[in-house]
Amino acid sequence: MEQNKKFELLAPAGSPEALNAAVGEGADAVYLGLKNFNARLRGTNFAYSQFEAALNALHKIKRKLYLTLNTVWTEREADRMYQLLGYLSKTSVDGIIVQDFGTLNFLRRYFKQLTVHASTQMNCASSRACNILSTHGVSRVVLARELTLEEIREIRNHTNIELEVFVHGALCVSASGLCLFSSYLGGKSANRGMCTQACRRKYSSVNDESKYYFSPLDLQLIEKLPELALAGVRSFKIEGRMKSADYTGITVAAYRLVLDAIEEERPVFEALKKAQTMLKSDFARQKSCFFIDEKSNVSFLNAGEDGGSGIKIGVISRISGKKALIKNAAQIPETGDTLRIHKSDDSMRSAYKINFIENKDDGSFWCNIPESGFTEGDVIYLMQSKKNSKRYAPVLPKLPDSYKKQPGHESAPEVQFKFYGKPEFAEGFFVSAANIEDLYVIQSIRPSMVILSLDCANAKKLCNNKNILPFKPKEIMLNFVPFYNEDADSEFTNYIPRLFEMGYKTYFINNIAQFSIFKNIKAHLIAGEYLYSFNRAAVEFLSGFNIEGIRTPLENSRQNAERCFEKHLRQKIFITVYSSPQLFRIQANLRSVYNFNSFYDSKGEHFYLTHSGGETLVTPMEPFSILDKIPFLQKAGFKRFIIDFTPRALSKKTYKEVLRSAINYSAIPGASRFNWKNGFYEQS
């Protein structure tokens, strides 16, 4: 099936029409999702018959198809996932893009014939991550988007695995796979493909200025293709399974021009100039190179724009029934075009097609609008132009129903795992803090053990510390930060042996790369909350790294935690009972552009900004707390509970109040339950 090309242009196929456009404009491969277990569940996606028809049609013209299974799944969905993988093993799909370690576990154990790609949701930002996944059957890694060109070069120099990089499309403000914002606000988790794009909403700062502070521009790296090719990138990926066929066609055509010039070793200047002109009409947001040139770049945010895609036409100046008048229009649309109205207060957006338009001599026009909810001052955007729409030959046959395969009804194999060694840590409360200085506050009411955030700054301070700390190293557990790139790896490779020799023996691992640092160090390792152990198959996979316990993810529910662990294993499980959830982690310090440390949404819910080194964290003002549920957890067999005060500095007053509530099992007024009771939002 290989086309003897050095590089692959990989396009989104969010619908049959987008599939037609991708193929028609020369994509080497497409990626698409079925109706479940993919990161764009709100999109159209494909039925099984359409998927098989597309697969056969693409193979006939020597193109490839990758299927996205890039979400996490809960224990009660194990049979469905296993059945789906069994179905896929009977097809000739070219690759499965995965996030969940349970999916990877099933694939490497029972369906070895399927090719596996690690999704960007796995947050792979280092050669260590690439290499450790390679040893577990992964053939390609979709690198985290928060990398510089130099970091990509470094990764290529230290791994042989295929590298795929996003080069165009929407960006997430949070680091890949580490966003909990949408999940926290309503259970619709990005890790479940249900992201509501809460980051793109309007927020107000403490000075009452309302802006789109966390809505990023779109990525465009077409001018960086020659350098990325030289850096060793194999596949160039366009984002956009929620976008129109027009968008797919325009972007694929533009990137095809430049990649062909590179492939044929021709000068790229003319192709690049033409491609950049084409991309001006992709109906997307303003463009950014994100971090590709420098990590400290913050120009990927434009707080003045609402973050919606499309070309801004103007503002509604008058409404009459179901018609709106737009004056001083930047562009006059036509019947059949697709528009979007965005309410000025950010409370509603609606896309629709124009079926009526009346142009005025002064450059204004009347057009139809949706029936209710809109008023003067709301903004109109052009989403798709009918005259620019291009018709492509259909890829799917007219009767794809001739493909009759479906997933079976078999049960997933029973999963067996055990944790390594005997517990070297006590039962009870474990208090987690962000800063070494917080240890002096925590000593006022001493917990079973202390958990200290382990970033490069804290690692350096601990190694160089000459003062006597209020806790001995054996009483301190170190909790790795989840974003782990080449720079962090070079520092931790130096720090970890020194810390271990100093007596720091226990570590929470939050990125798959971090396991391999301990290859020759006999430390006590615990799988952290960001390794997403939502199912027993994922736990079994992680247990292969000789972990001595699991910290359940913050998005988890009590029911799912109990399903994952038999009662005799629950004593090795760490449950977070109090925290300020880190809703998203921005790999840039926003202190230089935003002079506030808190903000609030249209419902009055407040959030904090915390700046730490080169990172900005967003947390809710009201904490997550299930302190009053501890007796029920103890009765169920859970013995270790984490009270997490990261990422902000800890005050004595707050610490004592929370510890008193923990000791008395009392509720925290106003605290959130997150997903603890209801679990993830379930798509019907």
Side-chain angles (χ1 to χ4, degrees), residues 22-35:
V23 172
E25 296 295 353
D28 300 305
V30 300
Y31 62 102
L32 55 83
L34 297 173
K35 298 296 183 181

mmCIF file of all heavy atoms in Angstrom, residues 22-35:
data_model
loop_
_atom_site.group_PDB
_atom_site.id
_atom_site.type_symbol
_atom_site.label_atom_id
_atom_site.label_comp_id
_atom_site.label_asym_id
_atom_site.label_seq_id
_atom_site.Cartn_x
_atom_site.Cartn_y
_atom_site.Cartn_z
ATOM 1 N N ALA A 22 -10.705 15.553 0.574
ATOM 2 C CA ALA A 22 -9.342 15.163 0.934
ATOM 3 C C ALA A 22 -8.707 14.333 -0.176
ATOM 4 O O ALA A 22 -7.568 14.572 -0.589
ATOM 5 C CB ALA A 22 -9.355 14.377 2.248
ATOM 6 N N VAL A 23 -9.450 13.357 -0.676
ATOM 7 C CA VAL A 23 -8.931 12.491 -1.734
ATOM 8 C C VAL A 23 -8.793 13.265 -3.042
ATOM 9 O O VAL A 23 -7.787 13.152 -3.757
ATOM 10 C CB VAL A 23 -9.854 11.267 -1.911
ATOM 11 C CG1 VAL A 23 -9.450 10.459 -3.141
ATOM 12 C CG2 VAL A 23 -9.809 10.390 -0.666
ATOM 13 N N GLY A 24 -9.800 14.085 -3.324
ATOM 14 C CA GLY A 24 -9.776 14.844 -4.572
ATOM 15 C C GLY A 24 -8.616 15.805 -4.676
ATOM 16 O O GLY A 24 -8.123 16.082 -5.778
ATOM 17 N N GLU A 25 -8.138 16.312 -3.545
ATOM 18 C CA GLU A 25 -7.033 17.270 -3.564
ATOM 19 C C GLU A 25 -5.671 16.620 -3.286
ATOM 20 O O GLU A 25 -4.668 17.311 -3.206
ATOM 21 C CB GLU A 25 -7.286 18.386 -2.555
ATOM 22 C CG GLU A 25 -8.501 19.244 -2.859
ATOM 23 C CD GLU A 25 -8.373 20.053 -4.151
ATOM 24 O OE1 GLU A 25 -7.275 20.058 -4.755
ATOM 25 O OE2 GLU A 25 -9.370 20.678 -4.565
ATOM 26 N N GLY A 26 -5.658 15.303 -3.136
ATOM 27 C CA GLY A 26 -4.366 14.621 -3.112
ATOM 28 C C GLY A 26 -3.819 14.209 -1.769
ATOM 29 O O GLY A 26 -2.600 13.983 -1.641
ATOM 30 N N ALA A 27 -4.649 14.046 -0.759
ATOM 31 C CA ALA A 27 -4.148 13.546 0.523
ATOM 32 C C ALA A 27 -3.646 12.121 0.349
ATOM 33 O O ALA A 27 -4.251 11.315 -0.359
ATOM 34 C CB ALA A 27 -5.253 13.587 1.574
ATOM 35 N N ASP A 28 -2.540 11.810 0.992
ATOM 36 C CA ASP A 28 -2.003 10.447 0.946
ATOM 37 C C ASP A 28 -2.765 9.514 1.874
ATOM 38 O O ASP A 28 -2.798 8.300 1.665
ATOM 39 C CB ASP A 28 -0.526 10.439 1.368
ATOM 40 C CG ASP A 28 0.323 11.309 0.467
ATOM 41 O OD1 ASP A 28 0.298 11.092 -0.757
ATOM 42 O OD2 ASP A 28 1.008 12.217 0.984
ATOM 43 N N ALA A 29 -3.344 10.085 2.914
ATOM 44 C CA ALA A 29 -4.069 9.291 3.900
ATOM 45 C C ALA A 29 -5.114 10.181 4.554
ATOM 46 O O ALA A 29 -4.989 11.410 4.564
ATOM 47 C CB ALA A 29 -3.107 8.728 4.943
ATOM 48 N N VAL A 30 -6.131 9.549 5.115
ATOM 49 C CA VAL A 30 -7.145 10.279 5.873
ATOM 50 C C VAL A 30 -7.303 9.604 7.229
ATOM 51 O O VAL A 30 -6.963 8.434 7.410
ATOM 52 C CB VAL A 30 -8.506 10.314 5.150
ATOM 53 C CG1 VAL A 30 -8.388 10.991 3.803
ATOM 54 C CG2 VAL A 30 -9.104 8.919 5.020
ATOM 55 N N TYR A 31 -7.822 10.377 8.181
ATOM 56 C CA TYR A 31 -8.179 9.792 9.470
ATOM 57 C C TYR A 31 -9.630 10.153 9.752
ATOM 58 O O TYR A 31 -10.090 11.257 9.449
ATOM 59 C CB TYR A 31 -7.250 10.249 10.593
ATOM 60 C CG TYR A 31 -7.240 11.733 10.883
ATOM 61 C CD1 TYR A 31 -7.934 12.263 11.974
ATOM 62 C CD2 TYR A 31 -6.530 12.625 10.073
ATOM 63 C CE1 TYR A 31 -7.910 13.624 12.259
ATOM 64 C CE2 TYR A 31 -6.508 13.988 10.348
ATOM 65 C CZ TYR A 31 -7.195 14.474 11.438
ATOM 66 O OH TYR A 31 -7.183 15.833 11.714
ATOM 67 N N LEU A 32 -10.349 9.203 10.304
ATOM 68 C CA LEU A 32 -11.765 9.402 10.577
ATOM 69 C C LEU A 32 -12.172 8.606 11.810
ATOM 70 O O LEU A 32 -11.418 7.776 12.316
ATOM 71 C CB LEU A 32 -12.610 9.019 9.357
ATOM 72 C CG LEU A 32 -12.446 7.602 8.768
ATOM 73 C CD1 LEU A 32 -13.283 6.586 9.533
ATOM 74 C CD2 LEU A 32 -12.852 7.609 7.293
ATOM 75 N N GLY A 33 -13.375 8.901 12.299
ATOM 76 C CA GLY A 33 -13.876 8.231 13.483
ATOM 77 C C GLY A 33 -15.179 7.514 13.213
ATOM 78 O O GLY A 33 -15.914 7.847 12.277
ATOM 79 N N LEU A 34 -15.454 6.515 14.038
ATOM 80 C CA LEU A 34 -16.749 5.855 14.037
ATOM 81 C C LEU A 34 -17.658 6.581 15.027
ATOM 82 O O LEU A 34 -17.337 7.674 15.479
ATOM 83 C CB LEU A 34 -16.576 4.380 14.385
ATOM 84 C CG LEU A 34 -15.739 3.582 13.370
ATOM 85 C CD1 LEU A 34 -15.475 2.179 13.882
ATOM 86 C CD2 LEU A 34 -16.422 3.535 12.015
ATOM 87 N N LYS A 35 -18.743 5.975 15.383
ATOM 88 C CA LYS A 35 -19.740 6.673 16.206
ATOM 89 C C LYS A 35 -19.384 6.715 17.689
ATOM 90 O O LYS A 35 -20.081 7.349 18.476
ATOM 91 C CB LYS A 35 -21.109 6.008 16.032
ATOM 92 C CG LYS A 35 -21.656 6.070 14.610
ATOM 93 C CD LYS A 35 -21.936 7.487 14.151
ATOM 94 C CE LYS A 35 -22.552 7.504 12.754
ATOM 95 N NZ LYS A 35 -22.809 8.879 12.269
#
